[in-house]
Amino acid sequence: MNSQNFFELALENQKNNNFEEAIKNYKKVLKAEPNHFIALFNSALIFSKNKKYKNAIEYFKKAIKIKPNNANCYNNLGNAYKDQGKLKKSKVYYEKTIKIEPKHANAHYNLGSVYFAKNNIQKAEEYYQIATNLNPMHRNAFFGLGLIFNQKGEIEKSIEVFNKAIKIQPKDFRSYNNLGTIYEKLGNMERAKTYYKKVLDLVSKHPGAHNNLANIYVAEGNNEEAIEHYKEALKFIPNDFNVVYHLSLLEPEVIDTNLKNNIKKNLKNKNINKRNKSYANFLLSKYENRSKDYKKEIFHLNQAHKLYLDSEIKKLTPIKYWLKNLPEINFLNNLKCHVKSNNINPIFIFGLPRSGSTLIENIIASSSDNILVGEESDIINSYFKEKILKNKNINFNDQNIQLDIINAYKKKNLIKDNSSIFTDKSLENFFFLDLIKTIFPNAKLVNCNRKPLASLMSIVKNNLVNLSWAHNTNNILKYFNSYYEKIDVFKNKNPNMIYDIHYEKLVHEPEMETKKLLNFCGLEWNEKCLEFYKRKNLISKTTSNIQIRKPIYKDSSNKYEPYMKFFLKYKKKYKWLV
């Protein structure tokens, strides 16, 4: 056989994914013809596909020597470096590709992906847009834009481009999965489930879709379905301790000796990422709690939070926003209101996390079918956060502030026909009480109180994934201090406007305390208020989603006392820490 015969055979091998034979035959071609460009180029592609990057780079460079202006060589050489995480080198070769061939859509997309990996969202968006302009069928570029728009909070645009990606490739399970997460965040659980199930129709072994479905079933109180999907996910990712952790909340018996040994084994693995190490430590803390070794428990919890924050910090609202920006802005303002809102009767439930707010919202919501449940709407905070983080001036003389906020509640279907009773359990709203009083003169303000140590330890023992301040003791205490200061200042200026409900009193005298609460809210009390857990439409995405599906029970007020010794050094600075 001559080199042409071996070349044709190699092409056939490659076409049939018989890569080992293809390489053997390409080598025979190259032995006879060392400058055979296609044999070099195709061999390099096969090496890349099989993650033999050193060989791939060698062969791409040989091909480039033969055809120094071949754009595809440079683009694929960039891919070989990018796949190894060598973004700086990959960027050089993508830029070289574009210099040779300015309309090379894949190179623009790849360069966008490098910027996305470096968290340069603006540049990534720019190059993804160019890729879609050059090739309107570039599914991956539309997918990338979907991720960016979602990250920027431009939800409608994100949905639009994910749907474009699906139109180009109806089996694009990644886009279905991301649409699921978007609708889940929007609170449209049925639609989210539809998309996750579509993913599983396409890829039955997709662990992410199983995990996402399980999380929704937990929020809906369908624990059996949740357990089934967590376990399905673990069949494919058995060492994902995030999934194990959430399964353990439903099936505590999974925390056994075998799991502990597996965790310790995995923690020795240099390739385990920080997020997974974080959940591994959360799980290890549970073992120490069982043996009442509180010092070791606290150690693992601190490790867990540090690792989680290190892994997710770029995705979270900056700590400075919570601990400096919000506390220092004076929302006691000269806001000009031009929209009549006297027919709107919101009930704002606020306070510190893990203080019973989810329980209180569901008690209120159970008193009447006419109450719209907002859960953690995050409307007011999001409105100002966008301005603060972009260093925009907040003009409190701007009448659009009131209009924008009211329209945001309408968009979430919490205000209908300018008349509504709804709850908003965005806990950070204590920063905006003066503003709320001005925009909604009929608002009821309910402050959730719990012993500070109990709230503190409940935050530490859990993982409040969206709050950057909740993963470090000093930051938690600073946030707590801002809360106590803001509440005191508002109460001094507005006596009797806030209703304080104390968690400890509520769980010991539920009927009496709920009657007083409902009376303050201008609502009629009935027995359903104490049977909130029977509501068919009870959905909770908070850490309390398991507890609120049970009747109110008398929690031990002293169960956190063993942890006080770890915080004694802070008592001098924070007098409220008792």
Side-chain angles (χ1 to χ4, degrees):
M1 291 176 68
N2 58 29
S3 62
Q4 181 62 26
N5 296 135
F6 285 120
F7 178 66
E8 290 172 2
L9 192 55
L11 289 175
E12 188 68 22
N13 295 146
Q14 188 173 0
K15 183 181 176 182
N16 295 325
N17 294 328
N18 189 348
F19 297 126
E20 191 176 337
E21 287 299 313
I23 288 293
K24 284 181 183 178
N25 287 310
Y26 280 133
K27 282 183 176 179
K28 289 174 182 176
V29 174
L30 291 168
K31 189 174 181 180
E33 301 178 52
N35 291 332
H36 195 296
F37 175 80
I38 298 176
L40 285 167
F41 182 79
N42 285 358
S43 294
L45 289 177
I46 292 171
F47 285 132
S48 277
K49 190 177 183 69
N50 289 287
K51 299 183 179 180
K52 295 181 179 179
Y53 298 116
K54 187 178 179 180
N55 296 52
I57 289 166
E58 179 191 345
Y59 275 64
F60 278 132
K61 285 184 175 179
K62 284 181 179 179
I64 285 169
K65 282 185 179 179
I66 298 164
K67 291 190 177 181
N69 290 319
N70 186 284
N72 285 333
C73 269
Y74 286 104
N75 184 57
N76 282 284
L77 182 54
N79 288 342
Y81 281 113
K82 186 182 74 170
D83 290 347
Q84 296 177 83
K86 296 178 180 179
L87 301 181
K88 192 174 180 180
K89 282 192 173 182
S90 68
K91 181 173 175 285
V92 170
Y93 289 109
Y94 293 142
E95 287 172 342
K96 179 73 173 175
T97 307
I98 292 167
K99 189 175 180 181
I100 294 169
E101 192 177 322
K103 293 185 178 181
H104 198 294
N106 281 343
H108 284 285
Y109 163 74
N110 288 330
L111 192 51
S113 296
V114 169
Y115 282 115
F116 187 82
K118 290 184 172 183
N119 208 34
N120 188 336
I121 301 305
Q122 185 178 346
K123 277 284 187 183
E125 182 180 346
E126 177 187 332
Y127 281 100
Y128 286 154
Q129 290 283 15
I130 294 171
T132 60
N133 291 338
L134 292 170
N135 179 6
M137 298 298 285
H138 203 301
R139 170 173 55 99
N140 288 334
F142 281 117
F143 178 80
L145 285 172
L147 295 177
I148 287 172
F149 292 140
N150 189 22
Q151 194 169 322
K152 289 168 66 178
E154 297 176 17
I155 302 304
E156 289 178 4
K157 281 186 179 180
S158 183
I159 291 170
E160 181 186 349
V161 292
F162 280 134
N163 278 319
K164 280 184 180 179
I166 289 168
K167 191 173 181 181
I168 295 166
Q169 172 50 270
K171 293 183 179 181
D172 184 11
F173 64 88
R174 301 173 307 162
S175 291
Y176 284 115
N177 195 52
N178 278 277
L179 284 169
T181 60
I182 288 172
Y183 283 107
E184 186 179 348
K185 285 179 184 176
L186 292 173
N188 190 336
M189 298 302 186
E190 288 305 314
R191 198 157 187 182
K193 284 194 291 186
T194 299
Y195 283 115
Y196 293 143
K197 287 175 181 177
K198 181 67 177 176
V199 174
L200 294 176
D201 286 341
L202 295 168
V203 186
S204 62
K205 296 180 180 181
H206 193 290
H210 280 296
N211 185 54
N212 292 336
L213 264 177
N215 291 337
I216 290 182
Y217 285 127
V218 169
E220 293 177 338
N222 191 343
N223 291 349
E224 287 184 9
E225 287 280 358
I227 289 168
E228 181 183 333
H229 282 283
Y230 281 138
K231 287 182 175 179
E232 280 297 311
L234 288 170
K235 285 180 183 178
F236 315 115
I237 45 171
N239 295 321
D240 189 317
F241 297 119
N242 171 28
V243 181
V244 177
Y245 173 80
H246 286 96
L247 175 61
S248 76
L249 300 178
L250 304 177
E251 276 195 357
E253 56 268 28
V254 304
I255 302 177
D256 58 15
T257 305
N258 290 335
L259 174 61
K260 188 175 185 179
N261 291 336
N262 188 41
I263 291 171
K264 290 186 173 181
K265 179 184 173 183
N266 275 271
L267 286 174
K268 292 177 183 177
N269 184 345
K270 292 180 180 179
N271 295 321
I272 185 172
N273 64 49
K274 288 182 178 180
R275 193 170 189 271
N276 209 22
K277 283 174 76 173
S278 167
Y279 280 102
N281 274 279
F282 275 118
L283 287 164
L284 288 176
S285 75
K286 293 177 180 288
Y287 291 96
E288 304 304 341
N289 176 265
R290 283 180 179 178
S291 61
K292 297 186 178 180
D293 191 334
Y294 301 119
K295 186 176 180 180
K296 284 187 179 178
E297 181 190 6
I298 289 289
F299 169 79
H300 285 298
L301 288 169
N302 286 338
Q303 285 290 105
H305 284 291
K306 183 182 184 304
L307 288 161
Y308 182 82
L309 190 60
D310 286 348
S311 71
E312 304 297 309
I313 187 68
K314 290 181 180 179
K315 302 175 187 175
L316 299 174
T317 301
I319 295 171
K320 181 183 174 183
Y321 171 78
W322 296 110
L323 302 185
K324 184 173 173 62
N325 298 136
L326 275 184
E328 290 182 1
I329 291 177
N330 182 12
F331 289 99
L332 181 62
N333 52 72
N334 300 312
L335 180 66
K336 304 296 181 185
C337 291
H338 297 273
V339 178
K340 289 184 179 180
S341 56
N342 292 326
N343 293 326
I344 304 172
N345 299 284
I347 301 169
F348 287 92
I349 302 160
F350 50 87
L352 297 171
R354 311 298 295 149
S355 294
S357 57
T358 303
L359 171 62
I360 289 160
E361 181 179 47
N362 279 284
I363 288 169
I364 291 170
S366 298
S367 69
S368 169
D369 293 335
N370 296 322
I371 297 173
L372 303 172
V373 181
E375 248 215 348
E376 295 177 341
S377 74
D378 195 40
I379 286 171
I380 298 175
N381 178 55
S382 290
Y383 180 83
F384 288 104
K385 181 168 69 175
E386 188 268 339
K387 296 178 183 298
I388 291 168
L389 294 182
K390 291 184 179 178
N391 295 314
K392 294 181 181 178
N393 289 325
I394 301 173
N395 178 13
F396 287 110
N397 290 313
D398 184 358
Q399 67 185 57
N400 287 330
I401 290 178
Q402 184 203 26
L403 187 61
D404 289 345
I405 288 174
I406 287 176
N407 283 337
Y409 279 103
K410 286 182 178 179
K411 196 171 182 180
K412 289 216 172 200
N413 294 315
L414 293 173
I415 297 177
K416 298 181 179 180
D417 301 322
N418 292 318
S419 175
S420 222
I421 300 176
F422 66 87
T423 60
D424 184 337
K425 190 182 69 69
S426 304
L427 297 181
E428 72 284 346
N429 275 338
F430 66 83
F431 284 111
F432 311 108
L433 294 178
D434 290 299
L435 200 76
I436 289 169
K437 179 173 69 97
T438 306
I439 295 176
F440 299 109
N442 288 348
K444 301 295 183 181
L445 307 178
V446 178
N447 179 34
C448 301
N449 272 289
R450 192 180 185 185
K451 287 183 177 180
L453 178 63
S455 292
L456 170 60
M457 276 311 303
S458 192
I459 290 170
V460 171
K461 280 171 169 281
N462 290 278
N463 189 18
L464 306 189
V465 294
N466 297 318
L467 298 176
S468 56
W469 59 266
H471 305 283
N472 171 279
T473 301
N474 282 303
N475 291 339
I476 294 171
L477 293 172
K478 285 177 186 177
Y479 186 87
F480 275 36
N481 201 56
S482 292
Y483 160 73
Y484 289 117
E485 286 181 352
K486 291 289 182 183
I487 295 295
D488 285 346
V489 169
F490 186 84
K491 281 183 176 180
N492 288 334
K493 293 178 180 177
N494 305 277
N496 305 319
M497 272 203 75
I498 289 179
Y499 183 81
D500 291 307
I501 183 157
H502 297 271
Y503 177 79
E504 287 80 12
K505 289 182 180 178
L506 174 63
V507 297
H508 280 84
E509 297 287 348
E511 185 171 332
M512 182 174 74
E513 292 300 321
T514 53
K515 282 180 177 178
K516 289 194 290 184
L517 170 66
L518 271 290
N519 182 58
F520 171 81
C521 294
L523 300 169
E524 289 189 17
W525 185 92
N526 59 69
E527 289 181 356
K528 287 183 180 178
C529 294
L530 297 180
E531 296 177 344
F532 55 87
Y533 54 90
K534 294 181 180 179
R535 285 174 53 210
K536 291 182 180 179
N537 61 342
L538 200 166
I539 293 176
S540 174
K541 293 181 281 183
T542 71
T543 314
S544 307
N545 53 25
I546 296 173
Q547 294 96 316
I548 61 160
R549 302 188 187 282
K550 303 172 184 176
I552 296 174
Y553 60 94
K554 291 184 180 180
D555 201 6
S556 171
S557 59
N558 299 318
K559 72 176 183 178
Y560 293 113
E561 287 303 316
Y563 300 96
M564 189 68 228
K565 61 186 176 184
F566 301 109
F567 304 101
L568 289 174
K569 62 182 178 181
Y570 300 106
K571 287 186 75 174
K572 187 175 180 181
K573 185 175 182 180
Y574 301 112
K575 306 296 183 187
W576 41 261
L577 185 57
V578 292

